[in-house]
Amino acid sequence: MQLIFGLILTVLATPVLIRAAHHYNLLDRPDERKHHEGAIPVVGGLAMGFAIAVVAAWQLADTDIFWGLFAAVSTIVVVGFLDDRGGLPVAVRFLAQATAGLVVALFGGAQLAGLGDLVGTGLVTLGVMTVPFTIFAMVGVANAFNLSDGMDGLAGGLAMITAAFLAAAAHLSGSEETFVLLLILGGALAGFLCFNMRLPWQCHAKVFMGDSGSLMLGFLLAWAVIRVTQAENNALPPAAALWFFAIPLMDTVRLLVGRALSGRNPFHHDRDHLHHILSRAGYTDAQVVWIIHFAAVTFGMVGFFGWRAGVPEAVMFCGFLAVFSVYSITVKNAGKLIRPLGGMRRIAGR
């Protein structure tokens, strides 16, 4: 029921906001970094935020977590909207995100108190670092999804995949409030993707989620994964949860570290994301999105079924680090492969 209402409200709100976007110039236009066609309204995040807020207020307003989470997510959406509208300094964005993370840690029912048995030497607890680590996780995941928003349907699909795995884990761990919110989020995402995904009857996106949407999605998913990994019964191991976020996390960490090591601003925009690399290899945008989504589902299944099969956390964590290392090396040397791959695909297409 929550999923259906989230979908319906998003589908109803999006056309209204699209018209408002054209009237108030809330549009994303192509430039040297953005190659989409025409001016696209950047109000998908507002539509999803509206739907999530309405259904969550109906379902969760009497819970202890609602108002803290509502205040934090509202802050994220407003800051993202202002950034979409005219751009905000990086320091302002991160300060607002950190403030929202603090509100969640204190009043939103999510504190990252432990990291599990990551290296096989016993449980790692955070103690006095619980709140700082919670803020770091919230801000980090939010920005990972923000950076993954580069093609029609890409970030929305990744968020949907992650939400599905987290919803299953929340249900199995008895985290019913988290499960309900993830259903609402899944419905809102499904409604948004009806306007954003490239489909047989829709050759390009009619709306973008913008920073207000991508930051909100990452923030809510970070809240959900903290809740599920810190559950009292049958908690999802943090090492398994990493696999649910594999693509956004690996791509973001690789980019930030690579830029810093090369002396560039870690937050400088470029075209070195995984989706850009696959595009330069000759794949169409639709193919790139499906390839990345398939990889995300595969990684998510490794984490989920590894957890259910009782694979030790240290093994899952080391496995994730190994995959990340292979991924980073492969992407770093992708330039040597792009030209022959692109040529092969052009020949095959004749």
Side-chain angles (χ1 to χ4, degrees):
M1 184 65 70
Q2 295 92 349
L3 188 150
I4 297 299
F5 276 107
L7 187 156
I8 291 173
L9 285 178
T10 304
V11 169
L12 292 176
T14 300
V16 175
L17 288 170
I18 286 176
R19 288 194 292 271
H22 284 284
H23 182 73
Y24 292 103
N25 197 32
L26 299 174
L27 305 170
D28 191 350
R29 292 181 170 81
D31 56 26
E32 67 279 357
R33 191 170 56 86
K34 304 171 184 177
H35 296 162
H36 56 266
E37 297 180 7
I40 307 297
V42 194
V43 292
L46 297 180
M48 287 188 287
F50 165 75
I52 292 169
V54 170
V55 184
W58 169 40
Q59 293 286 301
L60 300 171
D62 59 346
T63 65
D64 295 335
I65 58 143
F66 176 76
W67 290 108
L69 185 61
F70 178 81
V73 174
S74 296
T75 299
I76 292 295
V77 172
V78 169
V79 169
F81 172 76
L82 293 175
D83 199 33
D84 289 329
R85 184 71 187 269
L88 291 175
V90 172
V92 173
R93 297 203 305 266
F94 277 102
L95 178 61
Q97 292 165 22
T99 301
L102 178 62
V103 171
V104 163
L106 297 180
F107 307 108
Q111 289 194 1
L112 189 58
L115 300 178
D117 185 8
L118 295 182
V119 291
T121 58
L123 297 177
V124 178
T125 56
L126 297 175
V128 296
M129 296 302 293
T130 292
V131 171
F133 263 82
T134 300
I135 295 171
F136 177 78
M138 299 291 295
V139 174
V141 174
N143 283 278
F145 275 90
N146 178 242
L147 291 174
S148 71
D149 185 22
M151 285 185 174
D152 296 349
L154 180 56
L158 287 173
M160 176 74 85
I161 292 164
T162 302
F165 282 113
L166 285 176
H171 182 65
L172 290 171
S173 66
S175 304
E176 287 307 309
E177 293 171 351
T178 309
F179 179 64
V180 168
L181 189 61
L182 286 167
L183 288 180
I184 299 169
L185 177 61
L189 277 165
F192 167 73
L193 288 172
C194 291
F195 298 90
N196 180 253
M197 198 85 178
R198 294 194 178 189
L199 301 166
W201 59 90
Q202 185 170 272
C203 61
H204 63 82
K206 295 181 179 178
V207 67
F208 291 161
M209 67 172 67
D211 287 349
S212 61
S214 58
L215 289 171
M216 176 190 67
L217 294 176
F219 197 83
L220 283 172
L221 291 172
W223 172 85
V225 75
I226 290 173
R227 297 265 299 178
V228 175
T229 58
Q230 308 301 306
E232 294 182 2
N233 300 307
N234 200 25
L236 174 73
L242 285 174
W243 292 89
F244 296 177
F245 296 83
I247 295 293
L249 288 183
M250 291 193 298
D251 203 42
T252 298
V253 172
R254 175 189 65 83
L255 282 170
L256 295 181
V257 172
R259 291 169 185 168
L261 291 176
S262 63
R264 293 179 293 162
N265 183 344
F267 305 105
H268 175 72
H269 295 294
D270 56 29
R271 294 185 61 80
D272 290 330
H273 291 273
L274 176 60
H275 53 271
H276 293 137
I277 292 170
L278 290 173
S279 181
R280 289 197 295 271
Y283 294 97
T284 66
D285 286 3
Q287 289 171 335
V288 169
V289 169
W290 286 113
I291 289 169
I292 293 177
H293 285 174
F294 176 79
V297 170
T298 302
F299 287 139
M301 291 176 67
V302 171
F304 184 82
F305 290 110
W307 166 44
R308 302 311 296 166
V311 176
E313 291 180 56
V315 173
M316 298 192 70
F317 180 63
C318 291
F320 182 84
L321 292 181
V323 169
F324 176 59
S325 299
V326 172
Y327 167 82
S328 298
I329 293 170
T330 302
V331 172
K332 182 179 179 181
N333 295 282
K336 300 174 183 178
L337 301 173
I338 285 174
R339 187 171 298 174
L341 277 173
M344 291 170 62
R345 291 190 61 77
R346 283 191 294 271
I347 293 171
R350 291 176 179 173

